[in-house]
Amino acid sequence: MELADVADDLTEVLLTETQIHDKIAELARRVEQDYAGERPLLVGVLKGAVMVMADVARELKMHVDMDFMAVSSYGASTESSGVVRILKDLDADLEGRHVIIVEDIIDSGLTLAWLRANLESRGPASLEILALLRKPDAAKVDVDVKYFGFDIPNAFVVGYGLDYAERYRNLRGVAVLAPHVYS
Ligand code: PRP
């Protein structure tokens, strides 16, 4: 779906499909260099990371493995504890693997901080993070993200994997949702 198809629901376009594509190509070139001769395992975090995962994987001119995890952070009241529940675990054994976690967005950073510690304990040869978006104003914990795309404002953002009530994930770009949609 194009941003224009739901223009009335959006107040501001933050990233077009082209901007996202160019950034993903740039990140992919770095991954190719850094993992030359290796076969990294891309770990996508459902559901938001599906678009980034699909585009990064296809952009890479090298063999990769792909696996997915589904996690759920608890509601707003307990969010600050950083407690995350695994809804679907990985199929792959991480022992000795070069792992790259692929995420759509870092908001508080709690999901990734938890995930990094969890995956680190499984004995990978290396563990890095690729995240397309980051909301710097919202960060509660610092997460070391090696491959990072764009800083975006701390607004209600949808598209390219990001949803509101499960809608707008299939937008090709990223935009700010109009208040009339959720209020
Ligand atoms: C989003 C996003 C990250 C997480 C980031 O997922 O995909 O996983 O929130 O937030 P944090 O930095 O504050 O932890 P969400 O829980 O909305 O699930 P979804 O990907 O299925 O939409």
Side-chain angles (χ1 to χ4, degrees):
M1 190 160 67
E2 309 287 341
L3 293 165
D5 294 325
V6 284
D8 291 349
D9 294 355
L10 310 172
T11 56
E12 188 192 347
V13 173
L14 296 179
L15 298 168
T16 63
E17 183 180 12
T18 308
Q19 285 173 301
I20 294 170
H21 174 267
D22 290 352
K23 181 61 76 178
I24 283 182
E26 191 186 307
L27 297 178
R29 299 293 85 79
R30 287 178 50 205
V31 170
E32 287 161 1
Q33 280 197 343
D34 295 351
Y35 293 85
E38 304 289 347
R39 181 169 142 196
L41 169 65
L42 307 181
V43 170
V45 187
L46 297 170
K47 304 173 193 168
V50 163
M51 307 297 172
V52 193
M53 184 76 162
D55 283 348
V56 168
R58 285 179 298 179
E59 184 63 36
L60 286 169
K61 302 177 203 301
M62 68 195 302
H63 290 296
V64 293
D65 287 338
M66 296 164 75
D67 203 349
F68 292 92
M69 235 175 135
V71 299
S72 119
S73 49
Y74 288 96
S77 56
T78 53
E79 205 182 29
S80 58
S81 69
V83 177
V84 173
R85 193 159 50 108
I86 296 178
L87 303 177
K88 184 224 169 281
D89 207 342
L90 298 170
D91 297 326
D93 180 358
L94 301 192
E95 185 76 40
R97 299 298 309 267
H98 292 285
V99 176
I100 306 174
I101 302 173
V102 176
E103 259 288 26
D104 51 343
I105 189 166
I106 308 169
D107 195 336
S108 68
L110 291 168
T111 304
L112 267 177
W114 182 90
L115 204 58
R116 177 190 269 281
N118 183 285
L119 299 191
E120 195 73 73
S121 73
R122 305 184 193 195
S126 68
L127 180 61
E128 299 292 351
I129 295 171
L130 183 154
L132 185 68
L133 308 170
R134 182 173 61 187
K135 279 184 174 175
D137 295 348
K140 285 185 190 150
V141 286
D142 250 352
V143 189
D144 181 21
V145 180
K146 184 160 189 183
Y147 308 100
F148 153 72
F150 303 96
D151 273 321
I152 57 167
N154 196 8
F156 204 136
V157 172
V158 293
Y160 200 72
L162 299 172
D163 73 307
Y164 167 63
E166 297 301 325
R167 284 184 289 154
Y168 307 102
R169 288 194 201 274
N170 58 327
L171 274 176
R172 292 179 182 274
V174 172
V176 177
L177 193 63
H180 74 80
V181 178
Y182 55 86
S183 57

